[in-house]
Amino acid sequence: MILQFPTQKIPIQEIPVDKKLKLFIKREDLVHPQISGNKYWKLFFNINNYLAQNPVKPYIITFGGAFSNHIAAVSAVGNLAGIPALGIIRGEELKDKWRENPTLVFARKNGMNLQFVTREEYRYKEKLTEFLQKEFQNALIIPEGGTNEVAVEGVKMMLNNETKDFDYLCTAVGTGGTISGISKFCEENQKVIGFKAVMDNSLEETIGKLTPRKNFNLIDSSIGGYGKIKDENIRFINDFKMNYGIPLEPIYTGKMMQKVFEMIEEGYFPENSKILCFHTGGLQGIEGANLLLEKQNRNLIR
């Protein structure tokens, strides 16, 4: 197998809060230095099952935006496995500017080819996928964000005996694959909370197709839309790292943890609750975020 089960234990770290409950964070960001967090598990069976078929001229194709954690992770997998990869990137305007983008530079260094398409073309990814599958019949085509039924099976690996005793399981939500896996495979008594990084009203329907259980609740933590970074987010992320020694990024985990802290203050969680938040990685995005913040003469993420 190209992607292996980690030999090291993934730590669960307590975050002290001045309330009658306990808050913890599971450091999935430490699972692999380049294939970070939930991306590792969403790709785990997709990649290993594909390579187990011994495809002739293996090829990986996937989709993502300019700062996509998924694009970064797939490029790293391709490099690790020695398999050529193609990333379909949203935003034709990036064609001549990709060298200014740390995520895309990382992907190219890993050998990934980049094909830039307009936002209009990107909206019709299903048609584009059909075309690519005919053009590259032996290719593994992975959806945006890595979310599919096989990915959900991989997310199961984020749960173990150590996660069984928690009352609430919290995760950031982008395309819905991670929360689907947690919902599908967690304990019967556990409640799952998904913190939406994107204002997408179809997410609940998407998740409902991937898990038969109705044990999850979606909460908007996008703070105005996907990729929006406010000064309060930056302050929270920097304070969190200073206080607890844990880095967060501004699109997913930073907004999730900020919202969790707000909910604790508001009394959302009953007394004596045990809350577990999954750190889903994505720290590679900090460099790109800081470049944008620097251009706006704003404080940076430390």
Side-chain angles (χ1 to χ4, degrees):
M1 294 194 302
I2 291 297
L3 298 183
Q4 304 283 338
F5 291 102
T7 55
Q8 80 278 20
K9 183 179 178 182
I10 304 300
I12 294 178
Q13 184 172 337
E14 184 170 4
I15 307 298
V17 289
D18 189 23
K19 298 288 178 182
K20 293 182 179 179
L21 49 75
K22 288 186 175 293
L23 176 65
F24 297 81
I25 188 166
K26 188 166 188 274
R27 298 291 306 276
E28 294 291 344
D29 58 305
L30 301 176
V31 69
H32 190 277
Q34 292 185 326
I35 311 164
S36 179
N38 62 332
K39 300 305 179 190
Y40 189 90
W41 297 116
K42 290 168 84 173
L43 292 170
F44 189 88
F45 288 119
N46 271 293
I47 297 296
N48 287 331
N49 291 355
Y50 172 65
L51 294 180
Q53 300 169 21
N54 295 314
V56 178
K57 295 183 179 179
Y59 195 37
I60 305 171
I61 303 174
T62 197
F63 304 82
F67 299 99
S68 167
N69 295 319
H70 176 66
I71 288 290
V74 172
S75 75
V77 169
N79 186 38
L80 182 67
I83 300 172
L86 171 64
I88 309 296
I89 308 299
R90 180 180 63 245
E92 196 177 35
E93 71 278 3
L94 296 167
K95 184 176 181 180
D96 299 320
K97 299 179 181 179
W98 67 265
R99 291 175 181 83
E100 303 170 16
N101 181 299
T103 301
L104 300 182
V105 168
F106 175 78
R108 285 295 298 128
K109 283 183 178 178
N110 280 325
M112 175 178 270
N113 291 315
L114 305 177
Q115 178 68 48
F116 299 92
V117 298
T118 66
R119 281 165 167 72
E120 183 67 21
E121 290 171 319
Y122 194 87
R123 281 193 198 98
Y124 298 98
K125 292 185 291 294
E126 292 78 10
K127 287 186 177 180
L128 191 52
T129 298
E130 290 177 11
F131 169 79
L132 290 167
Q133 199 69 78
K134 291 177 182 177
E135 188 75 12
F136 304 98
Q137 295 184 10
N138 291 329
L140 170 65
I141 301 182
I142 305 173
E144 180 183 38
T147 290
N148 56 20
E149 291 182 0
V150 180
V152 169
E153 296 298 314
V155 172
K156 181 181 181 181
M157 304 302 169
M158 292 169 58
L159 303 172
N160 54 32
N161 287 334
E162 292 186 326
T163 65
K164 288 181 177 180
D165 293 332
F166 291 92
D167 303 300
Y168 293 88
L169 303 177
C170 301
T171 184
V173 178
T175 54
T178 302
I179 188 174
S180 298
I182 293 172
S183 164
K184 185 174 182 178
F185 296 110
C186 72
E187 301 301 302
E188 290 286 344
N189 62 306
Q190 292 179 315
K191 300 178 180 67
V192 182
I193 305 177
F195 294 84
K196 296 197 298 182
V198 58
M199 299 170 72
D200 183 353
N201 294 328
S202 67
L203 266 174
E204 190 157 357
E205 180 183 353
T206 299
I207 297 165
K209 293 176 181 177
L210 295 170
T211 173
R213 299 165 79 181
K214 305 299 181 185
N215 55 355
F216 64 90
N217 183 28
L218 295 178
I219 292 175
D220 180 27
S221 64
S222 63
I223 312 181
Y226 181 77
K228 301 289 185 183
I229 306 173
K230 295 188 176 182
D231 290 341
E232 63 191 74
N233 307 136
I234 300 169
R235 283 194 297 271
F236 178 86
I237 289 169
N238 288 338
D239 288 346
F240 194 88
K241 184 177 180 181
M242 181 175 65
N243 292 332
Y244 309 116
I246 301 174
L248 303 172
E249 46 71 42
I251 309 303
Y252 296 100
T253 55
K255 289 182 177 180
M256 173 186 70
M257 292 308 302
Q258 185 174 350
K259 191 68 176 177
V260 167
F261 271 54
E262 290 174 4
M263 291 165 65
I264 289 173
E265 287 299 317
E266 293 165 0
Y268 178 92
F269 300 100
E271 284 189 8
N272 301 316
S273 294
K274 287 185 70 178
I275 307 158
L276 179 64
C277 298
F278 289 91
H279 192 318
T280 48
L283 298 176
Q284 66 86 27
I286 293 175
E287 186 179 355
N290 276 340
L291 286 176
L292 295 176
L293 293 170
E294 191 171 24
K295 288 179 181 178
Q296 299 166 5
N297 294 315
R298 297 170 62 192
N299 290 330
L300 303 183
I301 297 166
R302 297 191 295 271

